[in-house]
Amino acid sequence: MDAASAASSSIKGVMENVEQPHVLAVDDSLIDRKLIEQLLINSSCKVTTAENGRRALEFLGLGDDQSNTLEGRVSKVNLIITDYCMPGMTGYELLKRIKESSVMKEVPVVIVSSENVPTRINKCLEEGAQMFMLKPLKQSDVKKLRCHLMNS
Amino acid sequence: MEVGQMQRRLIEYTKSLFMEGILDDQFLQLQQLQDESNPDFVVEVVSLFFQDAEKLLNDITRALDQQSVDFTKVDAHVHQLKGSSASVGAQRVKNGCIAFRNFCEEQNVDGSLRCLQQIKQEYYHVKNKLEALFRLEQQIVAAGGSVPMMELSF
C-alpha cells in the first residue's frame, strides 16, 4: 500500500469513531449532484442534495415561509457545498442567507465553480465561505474537505 | 473470444480514447466512483450526459436560428454543456464549448454556427466511442469476467 492510500485508510479508521458528517450539496446540474453525492458517500458522509437555493434554504429551515422554531436551533448539517452559478439564487446569495442566520451561520459553506474568477472567489471568501473549489471535483478534493471537517 | 482477450481489448480501447484526447482524467474519476454497491454508476452518469447534451444542442440550434439571436441564452446553454461535458470527462466537447463562448461574447453568428457544428461532431464521436466501450464491458460481464480497472499512469 503506498503512502496516499495508507493515509486515507487511517482517516477512514478515525471517521468510524466520529458521527457521519451530514453534508448538504446544492447544484442545479443533476450530473454534478450525482457526482458530488457519490464523492461524499465514498468519504463516509451522509448526503442531502438540493437543486436550487430555495430548496436548500427550506431544507435548512430557513425558507421564507418557515418560522424559526426551537427545532431549528440545532443545525442539521455539518457542511454545505454549493455551486456558484445557479439560476434564481446564486451560490453567493445562498451563502449570504446562511451567514445571516443565527442558527446556520457557524456551518462551513464551500463554494464550487467551473470558472476561476478571482473577483468571484474573493467575494465569496469575504462573505464567509470556508473554501472555494474548482469543478469538476475529484476524490482528492473531497478528502481535503473531509480532513477540514474533522479539525473543526 | 475468451475473457482475457476481451479485457485486454477493453483496456487498449480505453487507452486510445485518452491518447486521442476524447476522454480526460475526469472519466477515470467516474470509474473510480463505481463499485459493487454502485455497479452502474458510470453508465448512469454518462446516460444523463447524453440526454443533457442532446437537449442543449437542440436548444442552441434553435436559439441560433432566430432572426435576432439572444446570445445571453446561447451562452447559458453552452455554459451548461461545458459543465456537464467537463464532469464526465468528454474533453473535446468541453473544449469546443470553451471556444464557443468566445463567439458568444463577440455576438458572432457565423462563428457560433461553425462552432456548433464542430461540437455536434465531437459529441456524436464521444457518444459512439462510449457506447462501444460499454458494449465491450457488457460482453466481458456476460462471459463471466470482471471489468478491469484503468490505471492512472499510462
Side-chain angles (χ1 to χ4, degrees):
Chain A
M1 205 193 284
D2 65 302
S5 47
S8 70
S9 56
S10 70
I11 284 171
K12 280 200 174 142
V14 178
M15 269 172 3
E16 273 149 34
N17 300 326
V18 176
E19 216 180 292
Q20 240 188 350
H22 187 173
V23 184
L24 172 64
V26 192
D27 199 313
D28 59 311
S29 159
L30 175 56
I31 292 171
D32 289 338
R33 282 201 303 279
K34 276 200 89 95
L35 263 174
I36 185 75
E37 181 181 48
Q38 203 52 47
L39 285 169
L40 288 166
I41 287 173
N42 279 18
S43 289
S44 301
C45 294
K46 177 172 181 233
V47 191
T48 300
T49 59
E51 61 184 8
N52 58 45
R54 189 178 52 83
R55 297 248 167 110
L57 288 173
E58 275 167 21
F59 177 76
L60 295 170
L62 299 177
D64 285 328
D65 51 357
Q66 286 170 311
S67 51
N68 256 337
T69 62
L70 211 60
E71 293 155 287
R73 288 292 140 203
V74 179
S75 174
K76 297 179 191 175
V77 301
N78 305 108
L79 173 69
I80 298 164
I81 298 179
T82 177
D83 188 22
Y84 180 91
C85 284
M86 295 189 291
M89 191 187 296
T90 64
Y92 175 71
E93 287 158 359
L94 175 60
L95 166 69
K96 281 214 301 199
R97 291 285 291 269
I98 291 165
K99 292 301 169 189
E100 281 162 12
S101 151
S102 50
V103 182
M104 290 292 152
K105 67 180 177 195
E106 296 307 319
V107 179
V109 181
V110 172
I111 309 274
V112 298
S113 176
S114 56
E115 292 169 317
N116 192 348
V117 181
T119 47
R120 177 184 293 183
I121 297 172
N122 289 331
K123 193 172 74 165
C124 291
L125 293 174
E126 272 166 29
E127 197 58 42
Q130 200 78 24
M131 245 194 227
F132 183 99
M133 293 183 128
L134 274 180
K135 278 206 302 191
L137 290 181
K138 301 182 192 306
Q139 196 66 67
S140 53
D141 295 324
V142 177
K143 289 214 163 100
K144 237 187 283 181
L145 268 181
R146 188 74 184 75
C147 289
H148 199 93
L149 270 183
M150 281 171 49
N151 293 331
S152 57
Chain B
M1 208 188 287
E2 47 94 35
V3 173
Q5 261 182 289
M6 287 195 270
Q7 287 170 329
R8 275 188 298 276
R9 191 159 149 228
L10 174 66
I11 292 184
E12 286 314 308
Y13 189 72
T14 312
K15 267 192 200 174
S16 72
L17 297 182
F18 284 96
M19 293 303 170
E20 290 167 33
I22 294 169
L23 293 178
D24 65 28
D25 185 58
Q26 185 60 24
F27 187 75
L28 286 178
Q29 290 284 326
L30 282 192
Q31 289 186 317
Q32 291 181 334
L33 287 173
Q34 184 165 291
D35 58 26
E36 315 79 48
S37 63
N38 196 15
D40 301 313
F41 184 73
V42 181
V43 172
E44 278 172 18
V45 176
V46 170
S47 302
L48 284 175
F49 165 63
F50 290 161
Q51 282 169 35
D52 202 39
E54 281 168 40
K55 179 184 173 297
L56 288 167
L57 288 169
N58 282 335
D59 290 342
I60 294 167
T61 306
R62 258 199 314 274
L64 286 176
D65 203 30
Q66 302 302 307
Q67 278 274 47
S68 167
V69 177
D70 182 352
F71 275 103
T72 316
K73 225 189 229 176
V74 176
D75 187 68
H77 293 317
V78 177
H79 173 82
Q80 216 182 308
L81 182 57
K82 187 192 102 175
S84 50
S85 56
S87 292
V88 302
Q91 188 173 244
R92 288 200 198 158
V93 178
K94 177 192 79 174
N95 289 340
C97 291
I98 292 172
F100 199 147
R101 297 191 80 194
N102 291 330
F103 289 118
C104 288
E105 226 176 298
E106 295 167 14
Q107 313 239 342
N108 183 339
V109 178
D110 286 334
S112 298
L113 284 168
R114 275 194 309 258
C115 224
L116 177 61
Q117 262 319 103
Q118 180 74 10
I119 291 175
K120 278 181 178 172
Q121 255 178 284
E122 295 297 353
Y123 167 70
Y124 286 109
H125 193 55
V126 72
K127 182 171 190 224
N128 287 336
K129 294 289 185 177
L130 285 172
E131 285 176 338
L133 193 147
F134 295 144
R135 273 197 300 274
L136 281 173
E137 287 183 348
Q138 276 164 4
Q139 283 165 13
I140 292 171
V141 171
S146 59
V147 176
M149 269 292 273
M150 274 299 302
E151 261 148 64
L152 277 174
S153 53
F154 52 80

